Amino acid sequence: MPVLIFLLGLLAFNAVANEEPEEAEPLVPELRDLGILGTITGDIELGFLFIDGNTDARGWRVNTEMVHENDFFRNRYNIQGRVQKNQFTDSATGEVRSEPTVKRYAVSAQSNYKFLTGTTSFFGRGAYAYDMFGSFRQVGSLATGYANRVYEKQSNYLDLETGPGFAYRESASRNTTMGFIWFLAANFEQEIYKGSRFRQTFEGNVSLDGENSMFTSRSSLTSQINGRLAMRVSFSVNHNSRPEGDLETTDTETSASLVYSF
């Protein structure tokens, strides 16, 4: 594809150089006709946490996703972050201090190359997550495999993906492990009624060498408020098959956020 884009750019440059300025045609429509530019959609989700009383806490969470799709590729990019600080009072001195209790970031990028049918594709994916207070301080993974859009009707769809990969993990005690994984994913989105959509995502990294297997599920309901602004309620479940020490294997999170779509 880079060679094709270069040749198209060269042809367009020659056309502009040999014609009068008012007669030159822009390059963008030519690329759009070939399905190279495609469409870009996404949203930015922002939520805040304020707790006062016996427990004082402040926090925020952000989640942004962008999808670039054309006739050949479907590219998806995601950034997540959550920070929370709790206030503690020293019973002896009365001193009030603020300490972080949650600090988590994650990024992922995936590109699907579509086959001739348009519903099946070959994907490559990279992901990285940092969690200061989680059972794993850092987790990185690479995966590739086969994807199939088994259902699509207007903007509603169901994608299933699977394939081998490799993962790197650093635990809270700084122990590191590396090994092969099998990646599983499902993405489902359905309009419930006009202006309201339900989305369910699932990702699993199944360890093939007896190390930790990790699974993440997120359910969300988004309702349009006005124009591009919406409200989203979501419920997330994170499961780690072998956490260190006495940590729980499953964490859950319920949140409400404002969403701006573009």
Side-chain angles (χ1 to χ4, degrees), residues 45-212:
E45 177 183 345
L46 187 62
F48 297 94
L49 171 69
F50 300 95
I51 301 176
D52 294 302
N54 294 322
T55 300
D56 295 331
R58 301 289 185 271
W60 60 267
R61 64 183 302 276
V62 62
N63 181 76
T64 179
E65 183 175 70
M66 183 178 72
V67 179
H68 173 220
E69 184 161 2
N70 57 38
D71 290 346
F72 307 104
F73 288 92
R74 180 185 305 117
N75 305 315
R76 189 183 299 271
Y77 312 96
N78 182 262
I79 300 175
Q80 300 177 32
R82 182 184 173 189
V83 175
Q84 179 179 321
K85 290 186 177 182
N86 287 29
Q87 289 187 346
F88 301 93
T89 303
D90 191 313
S91 58
T93 64
E95 179 186 1
V96 178
R97 67 184 189 278
S98 180
E99 296 182 359
T101 54
V102 177
K103 187 175 288 186
R104 184 165 61 238
Y105 311 99
V107 296
S108 65
Q110 179 171 324
S111 182
N112 290 52
Y113 176 72
K114 301 176 184 178
F115 297 142
L116 294 177
T117 61
T119 59
T120 59
S121 60
F122 176 85
F123 75 88
R125 182 181 188 274
Y128 172 81
Y130 171 84
D131 190 346
M132 178 177 287
F133 302 100
S135 57
F136 280 92
R137 186 66 56 87
Q138 298 184 80
V139 177
S141 64
L142 294 172
T144 185
Y146 171 80
N148 191 353
R149 176 156 287 189
V150 296
Y151 162 71
E152 183 173 28
K153 185 177 181 181
Q154 298 178 344
S155 59
N156 307 320
Y157 65 88
L158 171 61
D159 290 334
L160 300 178
E161 302 168 349
T162 186
F166 184 83
Y168 165 86
R169 315 171 191 90
E170 179 185 304
S171 67
S173 61
R174 302 294 186 178
N175 294 322
T176 61
T177 58
M178 293 181 290
F180 291 100
I181 60 172
W182 193 266
F183 176 75
L184 302 169
N187 295 282
F188 173 71
E189 188 166 340
Q190 178 71 41
E191 184 178 36
I192 305 300
Y193 52 88
K194 187 176 182 179
S196 181
R197 302 189 64 82
F198 172 78
R199 187 177 184 190
Q200 175 66 52
T201 64
F202 172 82
E203 292 180 4
N205 291 331
V206 181
S207 175
L208 299 181
D209 51 11
E211 298 294 338
N212 296 70

Side-chain angles (χ1 to χ4, degrees), residues 27-38 71:
L27 174 61
V28 172
E30 297 179 16
L31 294 178
R32 185 176 291 112
D33 291 341
L34 291 175
I36 295 176
L37 287 185
D71 290 346

